[in-house]
Amino acid sequence: YNKALKEYKKANNIDSELENIHYKLGITHYFLGDEENAIIELDIAKRESPDNLKTYQLLVAIYIKQNKIEKAEDVFMEAVGVNKESKITDDIFDPIHNYYFEEGMMFIGLEDYANAEKSFKRINNLQPSISTYKWLMLIANNQKDYEKSISFFNEAESLNLEEEQGLSVLYNNKGY
C-alpha cells in the first residue's frame, strides 16, 4: 500500500483531475491505517464524483469504526441527497442500521424502553421500514402505551412501505 500511495500521489501531482484519484488515495490511506488522511481524500472525492457511492460507503465505515455515528448519518443523508436518481446501496446504510439496531436491542434487554425507542426511531429517520416500525410498536406495547403503538402503526401504514409481512400481521396476531 505504501508503494500504491506513492504512485497515486505522483499521478495526482501530474494530473489532479484523474478520475477517482482521490478515492484511490482515500482507500490507500485507509488500508495504511491513516483514517484522517483517508477522510480528507474521500471528502475531495465526494466533491469531484458525487455519484460514486463507494466513496460514501467507505466514509460511513470509517466514521462507524471511529464511533462517530452522527457523522456516519450525515454522510448517509448526503449520499441520499446527491444520488436521488440511483438506489442507495445497503452497503452504505447497513452499518448505521446495525449500530442502532444493536443499541436498541441492548436497551430492550436493560428494559430501558425510552432509549430503545430512540434507537429505532433513528433507523426510521434514515430509512423507514416495516420491521423497524414493528419494533417500535412492540416497545410501545411492552410499556402498555397502546395509543403510541397505534400511532406507529398508522405512521407506517401512511408511508406505504412494501415488505413481505405487513404491519397488520402483528396486530391481527395480538388481537388489537
Side-chain angles (χ1 to χ4, degrees), residues 35-73:
E35 293 172 357
E36 295 311 312
N37 279 316
I39 290 169
I40 290 168
E41 293 296 342
L42 293 168
D43 280 339
I44 295 168
K46 278 192 314 184
R47 289 191 299 275
E48 291 181 351
S49 299
D51 57 337
N52 183 356
L53 293 176
K54 290 180 181 180
T55 302
Y56 299 95
Q57 178 184 352
L58 185 53
L59 275 168
V60 165
I62 292 170
Y63 285 132
I64 286 178
K65 183 178 177 191
Q66 294 178 337
N67 205 28
K68 296 178 179 175
I69 304 307
E70 289 80 15
K71 284 193 174 258
E73 283 183 43

Side-chain angles (χ1 to χ4, degrees), residues 25 29 31 44 53 63 73 95 101 106 117 125 157 165:
L25 281 165
H29 280 295
F31 283 119
I44 295 168
L53 293 176
Y63 285 132
E73 283 183 43
F101 184 82
M106 177 195 69
E117 182 179 322
N125 288 340
E157 211 170 44
Q165 281 196 322

